[in-house]
Amino acid sequence: MKVEYIVRRVKKDKLKSIAYKIIEGKRLSYEDGVSLFYDADLAYVGALAEYVNRKKNGMFAYFIVNRQINPTNVCVYQCNFCAFGVTKSDPRAYEMTLEEVLKKAEETYRQGGREVHIVGGVPPNWQVEDYVRLVREIKRSFPDLVVKAWTAIEVHHMSKVSKRSYEDILRELKDAGLDAMPGGGAEIFSERVRKVIAPYKANAQEYLEVHRTAHRLGIPSNATMLYGHLETYEERVEHMIKLRELQDETGGFQVFIPLAYWPEGTRLGGKRTSSVDDLKTIAISRLILDNFDHIKAYWITLGEKVAQIALNFGADDLDGTIEEEKIVHSAGTKSALGHSKEKLIKLIKDAGKVPVERDTFYKPVAIYG
Ligand code: V47
């Protein structure tokens, strides 16, 4: 269905004018984004988002053969939305040895994986050298594996405990073999909400400053937004616009990943997001973030079926095979793990898209036409 046909059918002038802006390639304002959340239905934002996505990515939808490694769940920050991080004395606390981490990296490499995504808690006793050593040893053992590691939260923490600048720390990590940074830790930038859900860790400005510094040093990174807890639609749009502003400045973000909140076992509690909210949030992010090439439908939080549908609502990437994931599984998701490459290819094909196996930097390594 042509997007112009969909625009003609919509009754509200405001929504019509937003659609014309999109067709003319003009940037949406904060008010436009808020209006899409409140006034537009899913089919409308979905059609517009898919129009934009196809202009950017054609019929391609991406995935990567990768593995997540969560080296420890011990965390000083104890965010209220998180069911993964525990204190050192908690009976659930664990810390992997370097050998255990390397064994996981080896498995990934042997299975044809291209990336290890390292994300975990922030333990009280870790020094900068502990974070650097992990990167250096993985890279030394498996030079071909891309190391996507440590969020802005960890980098800010390292800076705090060592009294060194973000730049200094990121340079050392890069020299050790850090190739890219994941987007975790953004949560929601609104100070009002952050005070309640994540009162102790890096704030919005600090998160953005770490990414700004990484981009300046040639370390590409990803961006996330945790939604579906206490934030308003206005705060979601404000979050996206802050990312869009930084992207205008640096161009260093590779992909935006909306993360649906899972409440089980968290201190914050609450309800799960609806699939309509998930798809609308993905679609609206595609429309607001005009300077991001990619939007990820993270199947761990969305579930495979919604992630698959999202590929027709503005998303063009499914993340990857992942193998292991503890953060959202601690909070209740039942997404099965250890998906084969073939399973992801089938999910994408059944969504009517052309599967592209990519590397961390969205360079295609195989097209399954
Ligand atoms: O920052 C924590 C989220 C993030 C919950 O960069 C939760 O490619 C839902 O950032 N319900 C870490 N989400 C994971 C992450 C990520 C994942 C996949 C790909 C990339 C990438 C990054 O997980 C945290 C937080 O926002 N999280 N608890 C929860 N209860």
Side-chain angles (χ1 to χ4, degrees), residues 81 117 148 182-185 187 222 226 257 260 262 296 298 327 331:
F81 62 82
H117 170 182
K148 181 174 93 180
E187 321 318 354
N222 300 342
L226 182 72
I257 311 146
W262 281 75
K296 190 182 281 188
Y298 186 44
I327 299 175

Side-chain angles (χ1 to χ4, degrees), residues 25-52:
K26 291 187 181 146
R27 176 163 275 194
L28 296 191
S29 66
Y30 165 80
E31 290 74 19
D32 294 334
V34 172
S35 179
L36 287 173
F37 268 112
Y38 280 107
D39 304 327
D41 64 30
L42 173 61
Y44 193 67
V45 288
L48 292 173
E50 195 45 21
Y51 169 80
V52 171

Side-chain angles (χ1 to χ4, degrees), residues 68 81-83 117 119 148 151 181-187 201 222-224 226 255 257 259-263 266 296 298 301 319 327-328 331:
Q68 217 178 93
F81 62 82
C82 182
H117 170 182
V119 56
K148 181 174 93 180
T151 67
M181 281 174 65
E187 321 318 354
K201 67 184 184 188
N222 300 342
T224 57
L226 182 72
V255 59
I257 311 146
L259 295 167
Y261 171 58
W262 281 75
T266 67
K296 190 182 281 188
Y298 186 44
T301 49
D319 198 283
I327 299 175
V328 191

Side-chain angles (χ1 to χ4, degrees), residues 67-70 104 321-326 337-338:
R67 172 189 281 270
Q68 217 178 93
I69 305 178
N70 311 124
K104 300 259 182 221
T321 44
I322 301 177
E323 298 292 335
E324 213 174 315
E325 196 283 338
K326 295 198 172 75
L337 285 163

